[in-house]
Structures are given as structure tokens and as C-alpha cells.
Amino acid sequence: MPPLRERSCDIPLLAREFARRYSERFGLGYVVQLAPELVEHLEHQLWPGNIRQLENTIARCVALATTKIVGLEALGPRRVPRTRSRVPR
């Protein structure tokens, strides 16, 4: 199976599924929704930790959510630092 960075089209579906799972696991009574700008940001990451890193990122966003819709602020100051826009050296 190719790495997540080569399957960026799968990221929105995976992220929403993880949000649903963790909303249920944490007993929120509703599913935390991911704002479009957050999903777009996630799609442009390299994800060196592959799907587990994406899952952990979404779990953290859901656990720290104070509203039903989370945006970029949910990632806090430690946003996933590496994006696709960088040229490898």
C-alpha cells in the first residue's frame, strides 16, 4: 500500500472517519466536524508517520475540541510542520 502522502485524496475521508470514531470513543454525544480549512491543511502535509500520525492528530483535535466544529486552531502551535510545497534537497 502506498504511503499516505501519495494518497492525499484519502485524507478527508480518513480524517472524518477518525473524527467520528473518537467523538464516539470520548462520549461526546455528537460527531466533531472538521472545518474545510483544517481538512485542506491536512491534505497538504507529508505525513511521515503515515495513517497513525493522521489518526493521532485527529484524536487530539477531538479530545481538545470546545465546539462541534474544529478548525486550524485545534492543531495548536504544533501544526504538522512539513508540507508538500517544500522541494526535497
Side-chain angles (χ1 to χ4, degrees):
M1 181 174 268
L4 189 56
R5 70 179 165 271
E6 294 176 12
R7 299 176 300 143
S8 62
C9 61
D10 292 343
I11 291 173
L13 294 173
L14 288 167
R16 288 185 182 100
E17 173 58 20
F18 292 142
R20 184 199 63 74
R21 252 186 236 175
Y22 284 96
S23 295
E24 185 177 304
R25 185 174 293 173
F26 298 149
L28 298 180
Y30 57 88
V31 175
V32 170
Q33 302 297 309
L34 307 176
E37 66 271 7
L38 174 59
V39 175
E40 184 177 339
H41 176 79
L42 297 173
E43 285 182 287
H44 289 91
Q45 304 311 303
L46 291 177
W47 298 109
N50 219 350
I51 291 177
R52 276 183 290 218
Q53 185 181 12
L54 175 63
E55 182 176 6
N56 291 336
T57 298
I58 298 302
R60 181 178 182 274
C61 288
V62 171
L64 299 176
T66 57
T67 62
K68 291 182 178 183
I69 301 174
V70 296
L72 284 172
E73 71 282 348
L75 296 176
R78 62 171 271 242
R79 289 185 186 171
V80 182
R82 293 165 45 191
T83 65
R84 293 172 194 271
S85 61
R86 289 194 174 174
V87 177
R89 294 183 183 193

